[in-house]
Structure formats: C-alpha cells, structure tokens
Amino acid sequence: MFKHHQGKFPFISIAGVLFMLLISLASSGQHKNAVARNIMDLAGQWRFQADPADVGIEQNWFKTTLPEVVNLPGSMAENRKGDEVTLNTKWTASIYDSSFFFRPSLAKYRQPGNIKIPFWLTPGKYYVGAAWYQRDVVIPAGWNQQQIKLFLERCHFFAMVWIDDREVGNNNSLVAPHEFNLTKLLQPGKHRITIRVDNRINKMNVGPDSHSVSDHTQGNWNGIVGKMFLQALPVLHFYDIQVYPDIKNKLAKIKFTVINAGEKMLPAAITISAKSFNSKRVHVVPTGGLY
C-alpha cells in the first residue's frame, strides 16, 4: 500500500542557509528508529556466463552454477569478456566514412589484434547479447519480517532477476536504477541471485546511433555498474523524500511516499523538524506533526 503526502513546513528567509530536515515515522509495533538502513553490499566477485546463442532461459541457467567469474560493478569489456574485435564486428553504431577500410595510412589499424576504429574508442572486447551474472548471499536472521529490495544503479540495460529457482521480474530502464522487491523470496539463510542482462537494442528501440547506446559515445556494453546492494526496510517506511525550499515565503514544500508493504493497515504518526547547520545564526523549527 502506498500513500503520497505533500505539505508545507516553516522555513527561514536567509539565503544560503541549509537545513537538516528530520522526518520520523512511528507506528504501532515498530520502533521510531526502524528506518535505519540495513545494507548488504553486492560489489565483488560474481559468477558469469555469456549467452550469445540466447539459450540460457530455455536451459534454466538460473538453476545451475555459472562457470566463469567477473567483478561487479563493471562491464564485460572491463572484465575482458566478449568477442575479439575484427573488421567484421557488427557494431551498434554506423560507420559513415568507408575510407577506413581502404586508406593506406590506416592499414596497420586493420590488422588482426590491432583493430582501431577511428570514429570511437575501440574496446578490447566487444559483446552484444545476453549475459548471466550470479552470486550467493546469506540473509541475516535480523532481516526476517522486513521488506527486502535489490538495488542495481545501472544495468545496461534489459535485466531479468531470479532468486534461487524463482523469477522475480525484469526492468529495461537506461536512465534510472533497477529495483526489485525480493521480500517474499528471501527468508533468512543462503540464497542464489541470478541476473540476466541483455544489451541488444531490439529490447528498447532508441533509434539508430542513439547516444544512449551508440559506440560513437559511451559504447554499447553489457554489465552492471554503480551501486549494487540489498536493503532491508521496515514494513512501514518512507520512499522518495523531496524538499522544495521557498525562501521568499519562509516555507519548504515536502513530498514523500509512505509504503506499507504489509497486509494490514497500520496506524502511524509522522513528525517533521528542521534546523540550520551552515550559518552562525542557528534557526530551529519546532517539531510538527502531519497526523
């Protein structure tokens, strides 16, 4: 259950003064400090297997132990996984100047082992297709009765997730983190997380030579970069807190979402307080309640 709130809060009219804004949520059966973060960092060594023939789903690779290893966060190219670059490599970008293939001055860059495309940075390895990433985690007993989320800051770019033998879901965003709710699948104990990442552009039609996937710009790589973690949250918790200061009117507009991941309605009280922290003039706003 989700509930969106929006309200105004007393502020201060001095430009440049920042505020420490404290929002607390108290409910029956939950300690007011239960919103403290419980994070399990997933950075490190993962098991790996490329899937150029796209047979992994049919063959249930999520039930197997993948044979290779990579370090995440990272791309396949960083981990030296993928295909050797040749003159026949099928790039995501277009080569608009065909003179590369016949100019004598570029002949040395057309030799096997020394292919250098003059229109973009040429990776050591190149791969477009599905690839599988896998690791084991041990969920602590203290995470029981918590809501558990998987956070992947940036997959490139279509991702599917399995916990043990059960599929969780998929996400195909190029501009936002991939988040998955694992609450019903992760009880305390050992579990296997398997992620299938597919960077074929037919999964998301962004147009020819789009800067989001083109080799002309960042390159069309397969992998997961940025923050990767599991997070345990109380059944009742805040999500996406946003503050919009209005110094002229001495107000701050606060927007946030309260998530109740349980099956029962829980009575709750929300209190807000704030104080300045980067000015000689200390200003403390009295604690207020929304309901």
Side-chain angles (χ1 to χ4, degrees):
M1 289 171 278
F2 303 86
K3 192 167 185 178
H4 177 76
H5 293 269
Q6 176 174 318
K8 294 182 177 180
F9 197 63
F11 206 58
I12 186 171
S13 61
I14 300 178
V17 174
L18 302 180
F19 277 75
M20 293 286 288
L21 189 67
L22 304 175
I23 306 179
S24 63
L25 174 65
S27 67
S28 59
Q30 289 194 336
H31 192 275
K32 65 174 62 179
N33 293 323
V35 294
R37 288 189 169 188
N38 291 309
I39 299 290
M40 181 185 297
D41 188 8
L42 296 179
Q45 191 175 88
W46 285 63
R47 298 189 294 274
F48 170 83
Q49 187 169 359
D51 187 9
D54 201 8
V55 297
I57 296 178
E58 180 182 353
Q59 296 179 1
N60 296 329
W61 284 10
F62 51 87
K63 294 183 179 181
T64 67
T65 299
L66 302 182
E68 302 176 49
V69 295
V70 294
N71 288 315
L72 295 180
S75 66
M76 283 182 59
E78 288 179 82
N79 284 281
R80 304 295 296 175
K81 301 292 186 180
D83 303 319
E84 296 292 337
V85 176
T86 71
L87 292 179
N88 296 318
T89 294
K90 184 176 176 59
W91 298 98
T92 303
S94 302
I95 297 178
Y96 292 100
D97 185 356
S98 62
S99 66
F100 164 69
F101 295 99
F102 57 80
R103 283 177 57 185
S105 61
L106 298 177
K108 63 180 179 180
Y109 300 118
R110 299 193 293 267
Q111 302 305 310
N114 192 44
I115 303 295
K116 303 292 182 185
I117 306 298
F119 313 109
W120 54 76
L121 296 176
T122 309
K125 298 279 188 176
Y126 191 73
Y127 183 83
V128 175
W132 293 68
Y133 305 85
Q134 185 183 77
R135 69 168 290 172
D136 299 324
V137 296
V138 177
I139 302 302
W143 284 21
N144 194 30
Q145 304 301 318
Q146 302 272 340
Q147 185 180 27
I148 304 177
K149 292 184 178 181
L150 170 64
F151 180 93
L152 305 172
E153 187 171 3
R154 193 179 183 209
C155 297
H156 204 280
F157 49 86
F158 180 79
M160 300 178 67
V161 175
W162 288 261
I163 296 297
D164 300 322
D165 297 345
R166 299 181 63 182
E167 182 179 344
V168 177
N170 62 76
N171 196 316
N172 67 346
S173 175
L174 272 167
V175 298
H178 292 203
E179 297 184 75
F180 299 88
N181 191 324
L182 310 181
T183 305
K184 295 182 179 180
L185 302 176
L186 284 184
Q187 301 302 317
K190 185 177 180 180
H191 296 275
R192 181 179 62 249
I193 300 176
T194 306
I195 305 172
R196 176 186 179 273
V197 178
D198 193 338
N199 63 322
R200 289 175 290 183
I201 62 173
N202 62 354
K203 296 295 182 181
M204 181 184 293
N205 185 8
V206 292
D209 297 332
S210 169
H211 287 184
S212 57
V213 295
S214 171
D215 300 295
H216 295 114
T217 50
Q218 64 163 310
N220 186 13
W221 48 273
N222 186 304
I224 306 170
V225 300
K227 296 177 181 179
M228 307 173 60
F229 57 79
L230 291 174
Q231 181 176 20
L233 295 163
V235 172
L236 190 65
H237 63 273
F238 290 112
Y239 179 77
D240 191 23
I241 300 174
Q242 303 176 33
V243 181
Y244 301 88
D246 181 356
I247 296 177
K248 181 180 179 180
N249 295 307
K250 300 182 180 181
L251 296 171
K253 181 186 290 185
I254 305 170
K255 292 183 178 181
F256 56 88
T257 300
V258 177
I259 296 179
N260 179 6
E263 298 179 356
K264 298 180 180 179
M265 292 294 292
L266 297 174
I270 299 173
T271 59
I272 304 175
S273 62
K275 68 177 181 179
S276 59
F277 68 89
N278 69 330
S279 171
K280 292 182 179 180
R281 177 183 173 185
V282 178
H283 182 75
V284 178
V285 178
T287 299
L290 292 183
Y291 60 80

